[in-house]
PDB file of all heavy atoms in Angstrom:
ATOM      1  N   ARG A  53       8.780   9.138  -5.496  1.00  0.00           N
ATOM      2  CA  ARG A  53       9.569  10.190  -6.228  1.00  0.00           C
ATOM      3  C   ARG A  53      10.899  10.358  -5.670  1.00  0.00           C
ATOM      4  O   ARG A  53      11.875  10.453  -6.377  1.00  0.00           O
ATOM      5  CB  ARG A  53       8.711  11.432  -6.341  1.00  0.00           C
ATOM      6  CG  ARG A  53       7.734  11.401  -7.401  1.00  0.00           C
ATOM      7  CD  ARG A  53       6.789  12.572  -7.467  1.00  0.00           C
ATOM      8  NE  ARG A  53       7.525  13.801  -7.724  1.00  0.00           N
ATOM      9  CZ  ARG A  53       7.051  15.058  -7.478  1.00  0.00           C
ATOM     10  NH1 ARG A  53       5.783  15.192  -6.947  1.00  0.00           N
ATOM     11  NH2 ARG A  53       7.746  16.188  -7.793  1.00  0.00           N
ATOM     12  N   ILE A  54      10.931  10.447  -4.343  1.00  0.00           N
ATOM     13  CA  ILE A  54      12.287  10.580  -3.712  1.00  0.00           C
ATOM     14  C   ILE A  54      13.260   9.442  -4.066  1.00  0.00           C
ATOM     15  O   ILE A  54      14.514   9.576  -4.307  1.00  0.00           O
ATOM     16  CB  ILE A  54      12.060  10.769  -2.137  1.00  0.00           C
ATOM     17  CG1 ILE A  54      11.451  12.103  -1.800  1.00  0.00           C
ATOM     18  CG2 ILE A  54      13.469  10.622  -1.403  1.00  0.00           C
ATOM     19  CD1 ILE A  54      10.923  12.217  -0.381  1.00  0.00           C
ATOM     20  N   ALA A  55      12.589   8.175  -4.133  1.00  0.00           N
ATOM     21  CA  ALA A  55      13.412   7.041  -4.464  1.00  0.00           C
ATOM     22  C   ALA A  55      13.700   6.926  -5.956  1.00  0.00           C
ATOM     23  O   ALA A  55      14.557   6.126  -6.378  1.00  0.00           O
ATOM     24  CB  ALA A  55      12.536   5.782  -4.090  1.00  0.00           C
ATOM     25  N   GLY A  56      13.055   7.865  -6.793  1.00  0.00           N
ATOM     26  CA  GLY A  56      13.362   7.848  -8.163  1.00  0.00           C
ATOM     27  C   GLY A  56      12.790   6.601  -8.841  1.00  0.00           C
ATOM     28  O   GLY A  56      13.276   6.096  -9.768  1.00  0.00           O
ATOM     29  N   ALA A  57      11.647   6.139  -8.271  1.00  0.00           N
ATOM     30  CA  ALA A  57      11.062   4.782  -8.795  1.00  0.00           C
ATOM     31  C   ALA A  57      10.591   4.851 -10.166  1.00  0.00           C
ATOM     32  O   ALA A  57       9.955   5.778 -10.569  1.00  0.00           O
ATOM     33  CB  ALA A  57      10.003   4.329  -7.810  1.00  0.00           C
ATOM     34  N   ARG A  58      11.138   3.776 -11.001  1.00  0.00           N
ATOM     35  CA  ARG A  58      10.524   3.619 -12.271  1.00  0.00           C
ATOM     36  C   ARG A  58       9.756   2.387 -12.450  1.00  0.00           C
ATOM     37  O   ARG A  58       8.878   2.234 -13.335  1.00  0.00           O
ATOM     38  CB  ARG A  58      11.800   3.457 -13.265  1.00  0.00           C
ATOM     39  CG  ARG A  58      12.759   4.649 -13.219  1.00  0.00           C
ATOM     40  CD  ARG A  58      13.994   4.365 -14.014  1.00  0.00           C
ATOM     41  NE  ARG A  58      13.584   4.545 -15.439  1.00  0.00           N
ATOM     42  CZ  ARG A  58      13.565   5.682 -16.043  1.00  0.00           C
ATOM     43  NH1 ARG A  58      13.746   6.830 -15.396  1.00  0.00           N
ATOM     44  NH2 ARG A  58      13.246   5.718 -17.362  1.00  0.00           N
ATOM     45  N   ARG A  59       9.956   1.436 -11.562  1.00  0.00           N
ATOM     46  CA  ARG A  59       9.169   0.269 -11.528  1.00  0.00           C
ATOM     47  C   ARG A  59       8.623   0.020  -9.982  1.00  0.00           C
ATOM     48  O   ARG A  59       9.285  -0.005  -9.082  1.00  0.00           O
ATOM     49  CB  ARG A  59      10.096  -0.989 -11.822  1.00  0.00           C
ATOM     50  CG  ARG A  59      10.622  -0.957 -13.104  1.00  0.00           C
ATOM     51  CD  ARG A  59      10.166  -2.034 -14.114  1.00  0.00           C
ATOM     52  NE  ARG A  59      10.268  -3.378 -13.438  1.00  0.00           N
ATOM     53  CZ  ARG A  59       9.462  -4.418 -13.685  1.00  0.00           C
ATOM     54  NH1 ARG A  59       8.343  -4.305 -14.417  1.00  0.00           N
ATOM     55  NH2 ARG A  59       9.656  -5.607 -13.106  1.00  0.00           N
ATOM     56  N   ILE A  60       7.284   0.064  -9.875  1.00  0.00           N
ATOM     57  CA  ILE A  60       6.616  -0.055  -8.585  1.00  0.00           C
ATOM     58  C   ILE A  60       5.790  -1.363  -8.570  1.00  0.00           C
ATOM     59  O   ILE A  60       5.075  -1.571  -9.523  1.00  0.00           O
ATOM     60  CB  ILE A  60       5.706   1.182  -8.357  1.00  0.00           C
ATOM     61  CG1 ILE A  60       6.606   2.439  -8.277  1.00  0.00           C
ATOM     62  CG2 ILE A  60       4.981   1.045  -7.104  1.00  0.00           C
ATOM     63  CD1 ILE A  60       5.826   3.771  -8.038  1.00  0.00           C
ATOM     64  N   LEU A  61       5.769  -2.027  -7.469  1.00  0.00           N
ATOM     65  CA  LEU A  61       5.002  -3.185  -7.119  1.00  0.00           C
ATOM     66  C   LEU A  61       4.002  -2.908  -6.016  1.00  0.00           C
ATOM     67  O   LEU A  61       4.520  -2.372  -4.939  1.00  0.00           O
ATOM     68  CB  LEU A  61       5.874  -4.338  -6.823  1.00  0.00           C
ATOM     69  CG  LEU A  61       5.127  -5.629  -6.334  1.00  0.00           C
ATOM     70  CD1 LEU A  61       4.225  -6.222  -7.393  1.00  0.00           C
ATOM     71  CD2 LEU A  61       6.087  -6.748  -5.787  1.00  0.00           C
ATOM     72  N   GLU A  62       2.780  -3.064  -6.210  1.00  0.00           N
ATOM     73  CA  GLU A  62       1.783  -2.944  -5.129  1.00  0.00           C
ATOM     74  C   GLU A  62       1.100  -4.207  -4.909  1.00  0.00           C
ATOM     75  O   GLU A  62       0.657  -4.976  -5.912  1.00  0.00           O
ATOM     76  CB  GLU A  62       0.778  -1.856  -5.501  1.00  0.00           C
ATOM     77  CG  GLU A  62      -0.410  -1.679  -4.459  1.00  0.00           C
ATOM     78  CD  GLU A  62      -1.368  -0.586  -4.847  1.00  0.00           C
ATOM     79  OE1 GLU A  62      -2.019  -0.720  -5.900  1.00  0.00           O
ATOM     80  OE2 GLU A  62      -1.289   0.519  -4.194  1.00  0.00           O
ATOM     81  N   ILE A  63       0.901  -4.646  -3.693  1.00  0.00           N
ATOM     82  CA  ILE A  63       0.222  -5.876  -3.273  1.00  0.00           C
ATOM     83  C   ILE A  63      -1.068  -5.436  -2.476  1.00  0.00           C
ATOM     84  O   ILE A  63      -0.977  -4.963  -1.381  1.00  0.00           O
ATOM     85  CB  ILE A  63       1.116  -6.773  -2.392  1.00  0.00           C
ATOM     86  CG1 ILE A  63       2.398  -7.110  -3.235  1.00  0.00           C
ATOM     87  CG2 ILE A  63       0.353  -8.039  -2.104  1.00  0.00           C
ATOM     88  CD1 ILE A  63       3.410  -7.979  -2.435  1.00  0.00           C
ATOM     89  N   GLY A  64      -2.277  -5.574  -3.130  1.00  0.00           N
ATOM     90  CA  GLY A  64      -3.522  -5.085  -2.524  1.00  0.00           C
ATOM     91  C   GLY A  64      -3.890  -3.828  -3.244  1.00  0.00           C
ATOM     92  O   GLY A  64      -3.626  -2.779  -2.809  1.00  0.00           O
ATOM     93  N   THR A  65      -4.691  -3.981  -4.337  1.00  0.00           N
ATOM     94  CA  THR A  65      -5.178  -2.831  -5.099  1.00  0.00           C
ATOM     95  C   THR A  65      -6.407  -2.141  -4.555  1.00  0.00           C
ATOM     96  O   THR A  65      -6.617  -0.954  -4.629  1.00  0.00           O
ATOM     97  CB  THR A  65      -5.412  -3.339  -6.536  1.00  0.00           C
ATOM     98  OG1 THR A  65      -4.503  -4.322  -7.086  1.00  0.00           O
ATOM     99  CG2 THR A  65      -5.675  -2.230  -7.454  1.00  0.00           C
ATOM    100  N   LEU A  66      -7.477  -2.952  -4.135  1.00  0.00           N
ATOM    101  CA  LEU A  66      -8.724  -2.491  -3.750  1.00  0.00           C
ATOM    102  C   LEU A  66      -9.266  -1.678  -4.981  1.00  0.00           C
ATOM    103  O   LEU A  66      -9.210  -2.165  -6.136  1.00  0.00           O
ATOM    104  CB  LEU A  66      -8.745  -1.626  -2.498  1.00  0.00           C
ATOM    105  CG  LEU A  66     -10.144  -1.387  -1.863  1.00  0.00           C
ATOM    106  CD1 LEU A  66     -10.939  -2.528  -1.489  1.00  0.00           C
ATOM    107  CD2 LEU A  66     -10.088  -0.503  -0.649  1.00  0.00           C
TER     108      LEU A  66
END
Side-chain angles (χ1 to χ4, degrees):
R53 281 176 58 195
I54 290 165
R58 308 175 72 80
R59 296 245 309 150
I60 296 176
L61 173 63
E62 177 178 69
I63 304 177
T65 316
L66 191 64

